[in-house]
Amino acid sequence: MANNRVMVAGVEVSLDHWIGGRRVASVNRFANASPIDGSDLGAVAAGGQAEADMAVAAARAAFPAWAALGAAGRLPILRRFASGIMTRAAEIAAVETADNGSLLAGNLHRMVPRAAQNISFFAEWALGLNDHAIDHPEVVNNVRYDPSGVAVLITPWNAPFMLTTWKVGPALAAGNTVVIKPPEWAPLSCSLLADIAHAAGLPPGVLNVVQGIGEEAGDALVNHPDLARISFTGSTDTAKIIGQAAARSITPMSAELGGKSPFIVCADADLDAAAQTVAGQYINAGQVCLAGTRIMVEASIEAAFLEKVRDAVDQMTVGDPRDPATRVGPLIHPDHFARVAGFVERAKAGGAQLLWGGERAVAGALYFQPTMFAGADRDDEINQKEVFGPVLTWQTFVDDAEAIAIANGTEYGLAGTLFCGDEGRAMRIAEQVVAGTLWVNCFFVRDLAAPFGGSRMSGIGREGGTHSFDFYCNIKNIAVRKGSFAAKGV
């Protein structure tokens, strides 16, 4: 058994894969550094075809017994899994922060509890899946949600632990077995997830983790012929590559992708609340796919609202994410920093007006100032492409028709935020904005029962409640002719 373990933020973490209930090393390894200060977090096992084959084989072997347990049989194991996450919440939060630079307080108080809920919620929801019957004059339609097989789950680096459980929860509750491909820029919290799953009593092979570079480990997994499902969260460009692999074997795929979401502020809105929420778009250094990055303000309140936003942003302290006072931490990786900085420099060169920020916040480090551009054309790159950093744009509109036109003027359709004081007006605007989720007078409130996903280039499919099981299950209808069975005597 491999034993390549390191101490990260005071927590022992394995750097090896988790396959078939044991740790598996690889000859090849890749470096992993903390975005906080560049410190070395260890050489992580880099999987490829051999590890992908091993993991899928282990998941296939474990599938029949796990599926046969039924939802009620899986429930106590998944409850222990969720409980184990909460028991180790402080450790998970510390490792996640060290690995991807996200705020420690946010991980401890929001992300890790939500991860535990992702497991327990779907385990409970699965209990009622097969209770659905549809009556017909001739037959009774008995709708069943059957396990589908092995699911490959590919997760992003901005919130790897929580977003992995968002997939793992319904996949396991449905009776599937899973192979997780963590992000190479932040793989460590998924390694902890494997330890917690094992301690909770998940049978060997039910949950597997294959680490590695996307072009190697990820490619081997999504092209494997023995998959039942592929679920991916990440960039639109990567999704196109995975989609081609899925199409070759007709493997169902879900994809939650990027966004360039509008944040619409009407003149009659609660401007103080709206301004604070705009400033909140810089959280996690803007590395949030749902962020409302295009601020759209009714022209009559532009000057007054801009000052409110400026005041709110002035309170957004940039610094070490382990400090409770910090609101904006580092970008994830030097390559990503260069990408964000490139967007900013091109916007400057193109004539966009820099309202604030626009520079590295800490010399030699991965911290970038909260940034706002105004005056860019609607079709300019800075208004069209996902930056995935602390960079927002400022636009104005004169009426609802213009607001809707600007909001829908990109290739994306993941989310949107609207602050408005009139319910009728708010609903008219919301109904016409192309988005999978539209928040009105709030932001980032996600009910696990509600559908979540993107439109256009922002994704395929929906997750949440029964919508998740619609994807992870083989849905069967057993249509029984009424009166075709003789009634049994007493």
Side-chain angles (χ1 to χ4, degrees), residues 300-448:
S300 62
I301 59 164
E302 178 184 13
F305 186 64
L306 180 61
E307 288 309 306
K308 288 180 180 291
V309 173
R310 190 188 302 272
D311 290 344
V313 173
D314 285 344
Q315 306 305 311
M316 302 292 289
T317 304
V318 179
D320 191 318
R322 297 165 294 191
D323 185 338
T326 295
R327 303 295 288 160
V328 181
L331 294 171
I332 181 73
H333 189 275
D335 289 351
H336 188 58
F337 186 99
R339 180 180 183 277
V340 171
F343 273 103
V344 170
E345 292 308 311
R346 290 191 297 274
K348 290 178 182 177
Q353 177 189 1
L354 184 64
L355 298 181
W356 55 74
E359 302 289 343
R360 190 187 298 266
V362 179
L366 298 179
Y367 299 83
F368 204 90
Q369 296 173 343
T371 298
M372 179 77 79
F373 281 106
D377 290 342
R378 295 179 191 177
D379 293 335
D380 284 355
E381 178 191 61
I382 199 65
N383 274 323
Q384 290 292 319
K385 298 298 182 182
E386 184 179 44
V387 179
F388 219 60
V391 181
L392 310 179
T393 63
W394 183 275
Q395 300 174 78
T396 61
F397 62 90
V398 296
D399 56 28
D400 294 356
E402 186 178 21
I404 293 163
I406 298 172
N408 292 337
T410 75
E411 66 181 1
Y412 298 103
L414 183 58
T417 303
L418 168 64
F419 273 75
C420 182
D422 181 274
E423 182 178 3
R425 182 186 186 192
M427 294 307 295
R428 286 192 298 273
I429 295 173
E431 288 168 0
Q432 295 181 71
V433 173
V434 177
T437 300
L438 201 295
W439 286 287
V440 179
N441 297 330
C442 61
F443 175 67
F444 217 169
V445 181
R446 287 176 58 179
D447 189 311
L448 284 174

